[in-house]
Amino acid sequence: MGFARPLARVLLAAFWLVTGILSLTIARSEALFILGRGGFSPEMQQLVLWGGSIFDMIVGAAMLLKRHVRTAA
């Protein structure tokens, strides 16, 4: 069972990293559409999309650094 925690950490990190990358690439138009339906102006859509994607990637990278896992999770 000692492998479960490191495996979970790596899988969650991969999830956050992939989510951030996909939001800026393949799913960009869908994300902007959803933000537009949520009432965001076109300028704010870009800001929120970039900010959210970068935040996702930072969370994923932080989870890969073992010393940050206890404070992040």
Side-chain angles (χ1 to χ4, degrees):
M1 273 320 250
F3 68 92
R5 183 172 285 170
L7 178 62
R9 188 178 80 235
V10 169
L11 291 175
L12 283 171
F15 169 79
W16 286 109
L17 289 168
V18 169
T19 300
I21 293 168
L22 290 180
S23 295
L24 290 175
T25 57
I26 296 171
R28 182 180 184 85
S29 61
E30 289 85 359
L32 292 172
F33 175 76
I34 291 169
L35 290 169
R37 297 275 302 187
F40 289 94
S41 68
E43 296 82 18
M44 284 302 294
Q45 290 175 19
Q46 294 294 327
L47 182 64
V48 170
L49 178 63
W50 277 93
S53 297
I54 290 170
F55 180 79
D56 286 350
M57 291 185 277
I58 289 171
V59 169
M63 291 197 74
L64 290 176
L65 301 173
K66 189 171 183 158
R67 61 189 170 103
H68 292 296
V69 171
R70 291 198 195 273
T71 58

